[in-house]
């Protein structure tokens, strides 16, 4: 017993390190939040203090007893947002040639991107909310990398960031995390290719990557400019993405094509599926 006393003292001294933490959550609205909400609820059940930052107008993000919610105003209405989201979803399921689908999705993405840019601008300009976040002394930030404002806040507050990700537009997440995804082997969206491709299919696969250059520039350039102005130094979205400490990937290699992952990438496919029994 006397020999084990130092061990007991050491374990007791480590209890403080195991204390609950304070987590800032900057989610992406829509179906992205439905998955993240389950994680947030469990974190709260385990004793962590959770603060969620969201807009007053949203599709799915609503107040809950499981977390503190900090809301801020935006310059559009619930009706305007729902109308554009429904139009985008409808286009996503329409049939047609690649170019027809691409142009329609591009137009829809332009409208949705304008909401995201507006959200981020109004958040970063909300001095009272930013001051509250600075004074709250969070331990970490949980965010969806598609919600670029979360990346900006993580850098501003110098917080380790946990990404809860299904994917980032135009695949720049693959580039910044140095995970190989060559077009000669991994099929691209809209190609209908499998992982067993002929030479011409591989060429087609490569050509389908070209529009990503334009999408990336269009989607992320306004955020890079916004981040540079707010952080008062030149920075790009890619720079911010590289700062991620841990990537929780909502991938399932039964559905998604297998590919190499870095050590700080953890596949958690299935977390976005409701664990409920189907009715007869």
């Amino acid at each position: 017993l006397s020999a084990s006393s130092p061990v007991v003292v050491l374990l007791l001294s480590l209890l403080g390190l195991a204390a609950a933490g304070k987590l800032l959550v900057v989610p992406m609205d829509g179906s992205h939040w439905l998955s993240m909400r389950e994680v947030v609820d469990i974190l709260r059940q385990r004793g962590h203090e959770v603060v969620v930052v969201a807009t007053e107008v949203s599709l799915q993000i609503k107040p809950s007893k499981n977390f503190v919610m900090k809301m801020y105003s935006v310059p559009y209405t619930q009706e305007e947002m729902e109308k554009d989201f429904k139009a985008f979803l409808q286009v996503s399921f329409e049939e047609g040639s690649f170019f027809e689908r691409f142009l329609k999705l591009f137009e829809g993405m332009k409208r949705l991107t304008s909401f995201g840019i507006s959200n981020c601008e109004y958040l970063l300009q909300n001095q009272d909310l930013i001051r509250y976040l600075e004074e709250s002394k969070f331990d970490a930030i949980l965010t969806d990398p598609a919600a670029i404002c979360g990346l900006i806040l993580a850098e501003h507050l110098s917080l380790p960031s946990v990404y809860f990700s299904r994917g980032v537009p135009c695949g720049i997440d693959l580039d910044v995390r140095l995970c190989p995804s060559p077009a000669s082997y991994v099929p691209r969206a809209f190609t209908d290719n499998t992982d067993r491709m002929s030479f011409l299919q591989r060429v087609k696969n490569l050509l389908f990557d070209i529009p990503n250059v334009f999408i990336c520039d269009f989607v992320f350039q306004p955020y890079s400019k916004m981040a540079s102005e707010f952080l008062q130094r030149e920075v790009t979205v890619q720079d911010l993405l590289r700062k991620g400490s841990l990537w929780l990937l909502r991938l399932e290699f039964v559905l998604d094509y297998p590919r190499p992952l870095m050590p700080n990438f953890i596949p958690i496919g299935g977390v976005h599926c409701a664990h409920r029994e189907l009715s007869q």
Side-chain angles (χ1 to χ4, degrees), residues 146-163:
I148 308 299
C149 231
L151 312 183
I152 300 174
L153 286 178
E155 183 70 9
H156 176 66
L157 301 173
S158 300
L159 293 175
S161 49
V162 179
Y163 295 159

Side-chain angles (χ1 to χ4, degrees), residues 5-68:
S5 295
V7 177
V8 174
V9 172
L10 176 62
L11 291 175
L12 289 174
S13 67
L14 293 175
L15 285 178
L17 299 179
K22 191 171 186 180
L23 184 69
L24 172 62
V25 177
V26 183
M28 185 76 175
D29 199 3
S31 59
H32 292 243
W33 168 244
L34 298 180
S35 304
M36 184 181 282
R37 186 182 61 194
E38 291 191 23
V39 176
V40 169
D41 289 343
I42 293 173
L43 287 172
R44 180 66 186 90
Q45 292 170 16
R46 295 185 177 182
H48 299 287
E49 183 180 350
V50 180
V51 176
V52 176
V53 174
T55 59
E56 291 180 348
V57 175
S58 68
L59 293 171
Q60 300 288 351
I61 307 174
K62 307 300 178 186
S64 168
K65 63 180 180 181
N66 289 329
F67 51 79
V68 175

